[in-house]
Amino acid sequence: MKQNRGDKMSGFEYKILWLDLEHRKERVEKIEGKELLNWIGGSGLGARVVYENVSPWVEPLGRQNNLGFFTGPLTGTMVPSSGRHSVVSKSPLTGIWGEASIGGRWGRMLRKSGYDALVLQGNAEKPVYIWINEGKVEIKEASSLWGLNTYECSTALKQLTSQKAEVCTIGPAGERMVKISGIFTDGEEGRTAARCGLGAVMGAKRVKAIAVYGQRELPVSDPAGLREDLKPVLKRIQEKTRVLGLFGTAGLVIPCEQTGDLPIRNWTGGKWEEGALKISGQKMADTLLTGRYHCAGCPVGCGRRVNIKEGPYAGVKGGGPEYETLGLMGGSCLVDDLEAISYANELCNKYGIDTIDTGNLIAFAIEAFERGFINEEFTGGLKLRWGDPQVLIEMIHCIANQEGKLGSLLAEGFPAIRRFFGKEVAEFAIEAKGLGFPAHDPRAYNSIALGYATANRGACHLEAFSHIFERNMTMPEIGISAVEDRFAVEGKGELVAKSQNLMAVMDSLAVCKFLLFGGVNLTEITGWLNKVTGLSYSVDELLRCGERIFNLKRLFNISCGVNRKDDILPERILRQNRGAGGAAENLPPLEAMLAEYYAYRGWSEEGIPLPSKIKELGLD
């Protein structure tokens, strides 16, 4: 790789703050040269740190697990939509690689405070919060914060530290180590590192919150050149993402219902036209919407501000539900009351739990009740019914507070459910590797099926994001010159692998994937990275980094026992068609696509990277 100054990054270095909670010690690790070149930053460098420092046999909620917060070299710079970072650990929900990407403003402020990453080691003896102020690190007693919801904690911690600080926090569910709990930032806007139960890891470490503040100027090698490169891009992004700005991701509800992508009645339904209209982003804009908000440096503004002033859900104010929440608490539970879903969304945000897994778990519970697997004695007298807003709300309370037999079981997530009930529920427990499905049906896009099955953190539409290339997008730089047929089979292995490599790059930089909707291409992103770091990356070299990162996460999972037997989907998705709507008859042929995928990846028939591939990527 051509570089401006040998192995150095033209003065660009990456600083990891290692914080030992048990002994209250800190150390700073500086990374530069080839080591940083191979991993970029963000999720990529996080993968290297977890692989090297977390044993596959570690108990995820034990003191030997680490919890890392990793920004990328573009985080917080003038690059648009660069207000992102990744949280990484061994997942207490799935027992394998755990990762959650998050927007907002916290990652940018961490960098401005003097550090590019924070890794928490050990467990504190008593509840604490961490205050990082202009490079100075303090671990402080947090008994007054313990028990507060995420909104309350954010407000209280700013009073204890600085009103200019940015705060990430867990809610009461994270304190209780509910395995679907997340880590929340930006107060009432509710930006979330939601997936994989990483809030439970933070709770196990007895860290209630982390406040950061700083005024450090972020390093950019060629600011004038970067500014010039960005001039024509910002207007293009705003023009191409105008609808996303108007309706947010909630604007996807109607088109996803039409294409057969929206989950309906725990993934059994085909059409739900009237229901989709009632909970759509368009309906939200006409009724509850009071404004929108932006992550740091974002020209799009997909965040929704809602306000309910009267009725049974009066008092809801702040971040409104996004597409995933509407799809899984709305479509999958058949709840068509937008105000009720907004209230449910706010409950999840305050308690600090993932709306995706919560919606899936509630839909599962309703079907289990309907089919006789559980009864009123098991539910504490609650009759579980489709389309009942009160059932949705009561179940959120039960899960977050681990109330009763059902609440305690659901709070452990799908792996615990399958252990409790056995194989009989596997068909309608809609998850992959223990992680509940996002609100995108694999029967609508074959590449989603393959992406869910092979994603390193479990079912995830963003680890590949390949369906955008089956919908309306191309990217000739990675060999996708025409929009793909979403129901085709041949070529899906290559499409998903290439998409996964690309997304690994974006999570490592770290920038929002919605940039792609703004017409931004990888050549432009590579140029921005070079202007920031002073390097001379090529597109191919950056994609090779993405491949290396994805494979390292796979190797961590293999060390945890993962192989082909785990690259599976529920029988409902593979054997039962939707029967109506835009994807009425399609069933994804997973085995055929897996074979092609493994071959393209250079993996064995068991899904293990071959020695030649490991050597090629420098992972030996």
Side-chain angles (χ1 to χ4, degrees):
M1 181 185 297
K2 293 181 180 179
Q3 300 167 43
N4 291 349
R5 300 180 188 174
D7 287 343
K8 298 290 183 180
M9 297 188 73
S10 303
F12 190 93
E13 64 180 10
Y14 193 99
K15 294 172 67 176
I16 302 177
L17 172 63
W18 292 80
L19 196 55
D20 183 337
L21 298 165
E22 188 172 345
H23 301 100
R24 297 202 169 208
K25 293 182 179 179
E26 64 185 82
R27 67 180 175 91
V28 176
E29 178 185 5
K30 295 181 180 180
I31 298 179
E32 55 187 355
K34 287 183 178 178
E35 191 64 19
L36 191 50
L37 289 168
N38 285 335
W39 306 106
I40 305 172
S43 171
L45 193 56
R48 196 220 72 180
V49 167
V50 169
Y51 188 86
E52 292 184 351
N53 293 277
V54 177
S55 164
W57 298 284
V58 157
E59 163 54 45
L61 298 179
R63 57 178 296 278
Q64 292 181 314
N65 196 14
N66 292 341
L67 180 65
F69 302 76
F70 285 80
T71 69
L74 300 186
T75 300
T77 65
M78 68 181 82
V79 169
S81 299
S82 60
R84 299 198 69 82
H85 65 281
S86 289
V87 186
V88 299
S89 187
K90 184 179 180 184
S91 167
L93 175 64
T94 64
I96 57 174
W97 168 255
E99 173 182 357
S101 176
I102 178 173
R105 298 180 292 272
W106 190 90
R108 175 180 65 181
M109 192 62 83
L110 177 66
R111 293 197 74 200
K112 291 173 74 68
S113 76
Y115 303 103
D116 301 297
L118 167 65
V119 179
L120 302 181
Q121 298 177 289
N123 293 348
E125 184 180 350
K126 296 179 180 179
V128 298
Y129 72 86
I130 298 165
W131 172 218
I132 303 175
N133 181 18
E134 297 285 15
K136 182 183 177 182
V137 183
E138 297 179 86
I139 301 175
K140 310 195 79 169
E141 190 267 340
S143 60
S144 64
L145 302 175
W146 206 253
L148 297 182
N149 68 44
T150 60
Y151 293 4
E152 293 167 340
C153 183
S154 181
T155 299
L157 195 51
K158 287 191 174 193
Q159 292 172 348
L160 289 171
T161 57
S162 167
Q163 290 298 323
K164 295 180 179 180
E166 297 295 346
V167 175
C168 76
T169 179
I170 56 172
E175 296 171 8
R176 297 186 184 97
M177 290 172 277
V178 170
K179 290 184 180 176
I180 61 165
S181 57
I183 301 169
F184 287 67
T185 73
D186 292 53
E188 292 182 355
E189 291 177 2
R191 287 305 187 193
T192 319
R195 311 235 65 198
C196 299
L198 303 186
V201 180
M202 194 158 153
K205 294 189 176 300
R206 299 183 183 89
V207 175
K208 175 63 177 178
I210 308 167
V212 293
Y213 175 72
Q215 301 181 75
R216 171 193 180 220
E217 185 176 342
L218 301 184
V220 175
S221 178
D222 182 3
L226 180 60
R227 194 173 290 109
E228 193 65 28
D229 285 353
L230 292 175
K231 279 182 181 178
V233 175
L234 292 173
K235 186 177 180 181
R236 185 208 315 160
I237 293 172
Q238 289 175 325
E239 289 175 350
K240 287 182 173 289
T241 61
R242 186 180 63 84
V243 174
L244 185 58
L246 285 173
F247 302 117
T249 60
L252 291 170
V253 171
I254 293 173
C256 284
E257 191 279 334
Q258 292 171 341
T259 57
D261 194 29
L262 183 76
I264 301 167
R265 203 176 185 273
N266 199 28
W267 307 86
T268 62
K271 297 181 70 175
W272 196 55
E273 295 170 281
E274 290 187 12
L277 286 171
K278 290 179 180 179
I279 66 169
S280 66
Q282 291 80 349
K283 181 71 172 180
M284 190 187 303
D286 290 339
T287 55
L288 309 180
L289 194 69
T290 60
R292 57 179 179 162
Y293 57 87
H294 302 247
C295 295
C298 175
V300 179
C302 69
R304 307 291 89 188
R305 292 187 187 278
V306 298
N307 190 358
I308 301 177
K309 297 181 179 180
E310 56 187 18
Y313 309 112
V316 173
K317 186 178 180 181
E322 299 188 3
Y323 169 76
E324 306 298 331
T325 306
L326 293 162
L328 290 160
M329 294 189 175
S332 198
C333 296
L334 293 184
V335 173
D336 62 4
D337 185 329
L338 182 58
E339 290 192 357
I341 297 172
S342 297
Y343 180 72
N345 177 73
E346 184 171 276
L347 277 180
C348 289
N349 287 350
K350 287 181 174 180
Y351 276 127
I353 55 176
D354 174 20
T355 59
I356 293 177
D357 259 313
T358 300
N360 273 305
L361 289 165
I362 293 172
F364 165 85
I366 295 172
E367 183 168 348
F369 186 87
E370 183 180 64
R371 294 172 61 160
F373 283 92
I374 57 177
N375 54 28
E376 285 183 57
E377 194 233 335
F378 199 86
T379 67
L382 186 63
K383 293 182 179 180
L384 304 188
R385 296 182 293 264
W386 300 109
D388 189 335
Q390 287 310 115
V391 167
L392 177 67
I393 290 163
E394 285 302 315
M395 287 301 301
I396 290 171
H397 288 302
C398 287
I399 293 170
N401 292 309
Q402 298 167 314
E403 292 177 355
K405 293 179 182 178
L406 182 58
S408 297
L409 177 61
L410 296 184
E412 294 292 298
F414 279 117
I417 286 169
R418 295 187 67 168
R419 288 192 298 269
F420 184 86
F421 288 109
K423 295 181 179 179
E424 290 180 317
V425 303
E427 174 220 337
F428 65 99
I430 308 301
E431 49 85 14
K433 295 185 178 71
L435 196 65
F437 277 22
H440 297 277
D441 196 318
R443 293 165 294 189
Y445 298 91
N446 280 344
S447 78
I448 289 182
L450 184 57
Y452 283 1
T454 59
N456 285 306
R457 70 174 184 177
C460 176
H461 65 298
L462 293 172
E463 203 164 325
F465 212 31
S466 54
H467 63 288
I468 64 174
F469 301 116
E470 295 172 306
R471 195 166 63 195
N472 57 12
M473 290 188 62
T474 63
M475 186 170 278
E477 299 155 301
I478 64 172
I480 303 173
S481 300
V483 176
E484 301 268 345
D485 179 351
R486 63 186 175 127
F487 297 132
V489 178
E490 187 177 354
K492 290 297 189 257
E494 180 177 347
L495 170 65
V496 169
K498 286 179 173 180
S499 298
Q500 287 169 337
N501 295 345
L502 172 64
M503 297 308 149
V505 168
M506 299 192 76
D507 284 335
S508 301
L509 288 172
V511 291
C512 181
K513 292 162 187 176
F514 289 174
L515 280 178
L516 301 177
F517 298 152
V520 173
N521 59 52
L522 193 55
T523 299
E524 290 172 320
I525 293 172
T526 305
W528 302 342
L529 177 62
N530 292 338
K531 293 288 197 312
V532 169
T533 62
L535 294 177
S536 299
Y537 273 107
S538 69
V539 168
D540 288 343
E541 287 164 338
L542 208 54
L543 288 170
R544 178 51 60 97
C545 285
E547 183 183 9
R548 180 180 301 111
I549 291 162
F550 189 89
N551 274 266
L552 186 69
K553 294 174 186 177
R554 178 71 175 192
L555 288 171
F556 179 81
N557 280 350
I558 288 166
S559 70
C560 295
V562 168
N563 57 38
R564 185 172 187 142
K565 74 181 187 309
D566 304 289
D567 294 345
I568 57 173
L569 300 178
E571 286 296 299
R572 172 163 292 173
I573 301 300
L574 299 178
R575 303 284 179 263
Q576 179 181 328
N577 63 42
R578 288 173 65 104
E585 303 301 328
N586 187 58
L587 293 172
L590 181 59
E591 288 301 313
M593 294 189 293
L594 266 180
E596 181 190 292
Y597 175 86
Y598 289 163
Y600 184 83
R601 276 271 181 220
W603 295 359
S604 73
E605 292 181 358
E606 287 301 308
I608 298 172
L610 294 168
S612 57
K613 175 56 67 173
I614 292 173
K615 184 176 181 180
E616 175 191 324
L617 295 174
L619 296 174
D620 53 337

